[in-house]
Amino acid sequence: MCGIVGYCGPKKASEVLLEGLKRLEYRGYDSAGICVSHKGSFETVKRKGKIKDLREIVPSNMVGNTGIGHTRWATHGEVTDENAHPHYDDSEKIVLVHNGIIENYQVIKKRLIAEGHTFLSDTDSEVISHLVATLYKGNLEVALRETVFLLKGTYGLAVMHKDNPDKIVGVRNGSPLVLGIGENEMFLASDVTAILAHTKQVIYLEDKEIVVITADSYKTFDFHEQELQKKIENIGWDLDQIEKDGYEFFMEKEINEQPESILRAIIGRTDVDGATGHLGGLNMTPAELLNIKRIQIVAAGTSYYAGMVGAYLLESIARIPASTELSSEVRYKNPVVQPDTLYFVVSQSGETADTLYAMRELQRKGGRVLGICNVVGSTIPRESDGGVYIHSGPEIAVASTKAFTSQITVFYILTLILARMRHLSYEAGLRLVSGLESVPEKIKEILADSGELKKIAVKYSKYENFLFLGRGLNYSVALEGALKLKEISYIHAEGYSSAEIKHGPIALINENTPSLFLVPDDDLRDKVINNIKEVKARKGKVIAVAVKGDDEIESIVDDVIWIPKAHSLMYPYLMVVPLQLFAFYMALELDRDVDQPRNLAKSVTVE
Ligand code: M6R
């Protein structure tokens, strides 16, 4: 989604802005631009395309030490140079970049046009610069505050005025904005990755807060002119974590990081003595945990599928009724919130608008909502009633991989805690702990042995439609595998419960629609084998992800991707990693943009 960088300091602003925007590329965008102020004038360069295209047209003599930059992910108006940010008012004294959506922009635009304003873009954002101009009486922050009272929607804004060319004013409502504090330099950004190379000292703005920066000062205010004393926080990530570290693609790096990232999610959270787990962030007493009658998990995309694994574990092992809902559907269905239900929102970024708004609606209705997030300091962990960080480290590739395996890790530990408080025996708890702790090593085995998998991916890369089929705990993994494949290879793929295909999808089976079956050696294995035979009987090609030692499978299917044997509840981990690799190799073979697939954004901050 859109990204913002702002800079005030001694350095050449254009370089800081371009570098910051480059680091925001992973969020997904289709055009970019910067504006730099120099000796009382503004110079703006913007265009559709990538940051490297923008860099080509930024003049080397673009001097100036204050500026704002933007990556745009189109919502209102096509992808054109004109619609790229920054945007000016008529007098070209005010310039701004905007993340979010202004829902009432058409009404405002109509009025402004009637008053004689001329618009140069089709964006909702441009109305803001014109509005600020109409309200400006010598103080930009005052004009901006008055402006935001007229806006309906979400915004993260960075604005400059020619009268004070070394100052940037930022405001946040619904779109993230962070202030970076350096030595005689200040930064604004929608995401800390943009400024991590310069400073680790940050202040996260909350909704309805304004920040004013110059090179050597910053002030934060609420919307009622009250100055705020906000806490400076330290970013826990290092620069090398947001770089490729020798890999060609972030996705490849992140898939390979999973043995360590899963370990980070486990460490300090399992208790061998008690055969249980520990999640401090829940902020709940054992008595409160024992009183939970229902668990509802709310999330989007890959996080939703991780939530499905969680709900399955919680219900089948901890014996607590649990369900998963799409966050985009929760807010508007007037959800029934009950006091003995515990709500979890799951989000890698902690900024997904659908999930954030669902959380707020559940909280408004009195629900206790805990977050399971990756990005420290992001909005969901700050606004939730407690929660757990998954500690995956930065996930840069648009396609989520290591976040999924760490999110499910938190659910395994949660299940262990709640199950041990209820029906799970000490011995079974201990088996679960050791099963979980053995996962990183088993994933290492899969990663070390992916040559054959690559050949299979290449062999099947000519097919245009796939079915991903799994059952039980691995049904959600099938859905996640299909999502990975369509996201980065643009191949059409659908995930189903393998039992469900006879109710419809089997009509799609022919020699041109391969099926990828997940075949763990658990209680449902034989039923999955029956489903495979139904597909083979209709001339469907079948790839199986199966457990080493399953001698029967090879004779039934066309190709096998082997995984190590494990505790029967651990197969979601061992099944999903081959599916991530399958999608990755397929996308490589098809020459796709693996890390930034078309039309997608890493952090979806609009509804
Ligand atoms: O940051 P979140 O976990 O809230 O993001 C949710 C989805 O937007 C995200 O998982 C999306 O589906 C990914 N592109 C999946 O690879």
Side-chain angles (χ1 to χ4, degrees):
M1 293 261 133
C2 305
I4 288 178
V5 194
Y7 178 70
C8 299
K11 296 177 186 146
K12 196 175 173 188
S14 56
E15 274 310 312
V16 178
L17 297 175
L18 285 169
E19 180 215 324
L21 293 179
K22 184 87 190 138
R23 298 213 185 264
L24 291 180
E25 277 195 309
Y26 79 98
R27 292 170 67 99
Y29 70 107
D30 38 54
S31 47
I34 60 172
C35 172
V36 169
S37 92
H38 181 58
K39 292 189 175 162
S41 69
F42 287 151
E43 190 175 358
T44 292
V45 187
K46 58 184 193 171
R47 73 183 295 184
K48 67 177 181 181
K50 297 283 186 186
I51 303 299
K52 65 173 174 35
D53 305 318
L54 178 68
R55 194 174 263 285
E56 275 170 16
I57 59 164
V58 170
S60 56
N61 61 356
M62 190 180 197
V63 282
N65 309 108
T66 304
I68 52 179
H70 190 260
T71 46
R72 173 174 187 253
W73 187 83
T75 57
H76 294 62
E78 286 176 22
V79 180
T80 62
D81 294 350
E82 293 73 28
N83 288 338
H85 297 213
H87 293 291
Y88 284 94
D89 71 313
D90 282 310
S91 70
E92 298 193 353
K93 286 188 167 175
I94 292 165
V95 64
L96 61 76
V97 291
H98 167 228
N99 286 0
I101 289 179
I102 304 304
E103 289 166 14
N104 59 340
Y105 84 100
Q106 274 170 317
V107 181
I108 299 173
K109 189 169 178 176
K110 208 167 157 192
R111 175 166 69 73
L112 290 168
I113 289 172
E115 288 170 9
H117 290 255
T118 307
F119 284 83
L120 303 178
S121 78
D122 304 317
T123 65
D124 52 337
S125 311
E126 197 186 351
V127 301
I128 309 172
S129 45
H130 289 258
L131 261 188
V132 176
T134 63
L135 296 165
Y136 181 79
K137 295 188 187 71
N139 182 317
L140 182 58
E141 46 274 37
V142 172
L144 191 57
R145 189 170 54 242
E146 290 176 7
T147 300
V148 294
F149 284 121
L150 304 174
L151 302 177
K152 192 167 171 267
T154 54
Y155 41 86
L157 286 162
V159 192
M160 298 197 293
H161 195 293
K162 270 189 186 164
D163 287 353
N164 275 294
D166 299 327
K167 172 171 101 174
I168 304 174
V169 183
V171 59
R172 162 189 175 147
N173 187 40
S175 295
L177 206 58
V178 61
L179 157 68
I181 303 165
E183 291 248 333
N184 298 319
E185 56 183 358
M186 298 289 161
F187 305 82
L188 276 186
S190 49
D191 179 330
V192 292
T193 51
I195 56 176
L196 193 54
H198 304 279
T199 181
K200 287 188 164 192
Q201 304 279 296
V202 297
I203 288 178
Y204 295 100
L205 291 198
E206 303 291 337
D207 279 353
K208 300 192 170 39
E209 287 183 358
I210 293 179
V211 61
V212 183
I213 61 168
T214 61
D216 52 13
S217 74
Y218 70 84
K219 282 187 176 183
T220 49
F221 301 92
D222 67 14
F223 275 11
H224 304 291
E225 294 177 58
Q226 285 301 313
E227 190 171 343
L228 306 166
Q229 299 305 322
K230 292 186 64 79
K231 188 168 156 234
I232 299 178
E233 302 196 36
N234 197 41
I235 307 171
W237 292 347
D238 290 322
L239 197 57
D240 57 359
Q241 285 182 278
I242 58 168
E243 289 177 343
K244 286 189 190 146
D245 197 21
Y247 287 96
E248 201 180 338
F249 302 94
F250 280 113
M251 184 181 180
E252 185 185 13
K253 176 183 175 222
E254 288 158 10
I255 291 173
N256 280 283
E257 276 173 354
Q258 288 178 106
E260 295 84 50
S261 54
I262 293 167
L263 206 56
R264 277 200 299 278
I266 298 177
I267 272 176
R269 291 170 167 171
T270 49
D271 167 5
V272 178
D273 286 345
T276 181
H278 172 72
L279 290 172
L282 298 180
N283 291 336
M284 289 177 76
T285 63
E288 284 176 316
L289 290 172
L290 202 56
N291 273 334
I292 300 165
K293 296 281 178 297
R294 223 180 96 75
I295 290 181
Q296 195 179 348
I297 301 161
V298 174
T302 290
S303 298
Y304 173 78
Y305 297 139
M308 281 177 72
V309 174
Y312 197 97
L313 289 169
L314 287 161
E315 185 144 340
S316 58
I317 309 299
R319 310 300 301 146
I320 301 174
S323 57
T324 313
E325 272 202 84
L326 287 171
S327 51
S328 51
E329 294 299 326
V330 167
R331 184 182 181 195
Y332 297 104
K333 73 173 222 184
N334 194 13
V336 175
V337 172
Q338 290 175 319
D340 49 10
T341 299
L342 184 61
Y343 296 87
F344 282 93
V345 289
V346 189
S347 174
Q348 186 284 129
S349 63
E351 300 289 354
T352 299
D354 288 328
T355 308
L356 176 62
Y357 298 155
M359 176 177 86
R360 288 179 181 161
E361 180 65 6
L362 295 169
Q363 286 175 319
R364 248 178 246 127
K365 287 174 172 276
R368 183 177 206 155
V369 189
L370 305 179
I372 297 179
C373 296
N374 189 32
V375 179
V376 177
S378 56
T379 308
I380 291 176
R382 281 186 292 124
E383 290 192 16
S384 59
D385 305 303
V388 185
Y389 281 118
I390 62 172
H391 298 310
S392 291
E395 192 182 67
I396 305 289
V398 164
S400 188
T401 52
K402 63 176 178 170
F404 177 86
T405 45
S406 294
Q407 287 164 340
I408 65 171
T409 303
V410 170
F411 281 116
Y412 276 89
I413 294 167
L414 182 68
T415 301
L416 191 58
I417 297 169
L418 297 176
R420 285 284 292 129
M421 293 177 83
R422 292 168 171 80
H423 316 278
L424 197 72
S425 68
Y426 176 82
E427 287 73 21
L430 215 50
R431 280 197 295 278
L432 202 53
V433 172
S434 84
L436 192 57
E437 290 181 343
S438 71
V439 164
E441 284 304 314
K442 292 188 190 290
I443 293 183
K444 274 189 198 162
E445 250 182 76
I446 297 173
L447 293 170
D449 198 18
S450 64
E452 196 54 34
L453 197 162
K454 184 174 183 179
K455 281 188 203 147
I456 295 174
V458 171
K459 172 176 166 189
Y460 283 87
S461 60
K462 62 178 189 295
Y463 291 94
E464 291 175 355
N465 296 290
F466 277 83
L467 292 180
F468 281 67
L469 303 161
R471 286 201 73 176
L473 200 46
N474 295 295
Y475 163 44
S476 36
V477 178
L479 299 178
E480 169 61 6
L483 177 67
K484 283 291 88 79
L485 188 65
K486 52 190 150 196
E487 277 188 300
I488 62 164
S489 71
Y490 318 147
I491 290 171
H492 176 234
E494 295 299 337
Y496 286 100
S497 158
S498 54
E500 188 63 18
I501 52 168
K502 60 185 174 291
H503 300 293
I506 202 161
L508 297 172
I509 298 294
N510 62 23
E511 58 275 22
N512 297 318
T513 304
S515 300
L516 198 149
F517 274 88
L518 305 181
V519 194
D521 58 357
D522 62 10
D523 295 349
L524 292 170
R525 179 207 173 264
D526 293 349
K527 298 204 180 295
V528 176
I529 297 288
N530 289 341
N531 300 142
I532 292 178
K533 287 183 176 161
E534 287 156 14
V535 168
K536 288 307 301 171
R538 287 157 182 87
K539 299 199 175 1
K541 295 222 164 10
V542 172
I543 310 164
V545 183
V547 181
K548 283 179 190 163
D550 186 336
D551 296 333
E552 188 192 3
I553 194 87
E554 223 163 2
S555 61
I556 307 174
V557 303
D558 297 274
D559 290 281
V560 187
I561 297 168
W562 294 110
I563 59 169
K565 189 170 174 54
H567 182 298
S568 63
L569 293 177
M570 299 303 146
Y571 285 118
Y573 289 103
L574 308 187
M575 293 284 170
V576 82
V577 172
L579 300 193
Q580 295 166 347
L581 288 166
F582 184 75
F584 173 73
Y585 289 133
M586 197 90 115
L588 270 193
E589 181 64 17
L590 296 169
D591 205 19
R592 307 294 194 226
D593 189 345
V594 172
D595 284 336
Q596 293 162 38
R598 71 182 179 205
N599 304 338
L600 294 181
K602 180 65 182 163
S603 160
V604 186
T605 52
V606 294
E607 264 193 286

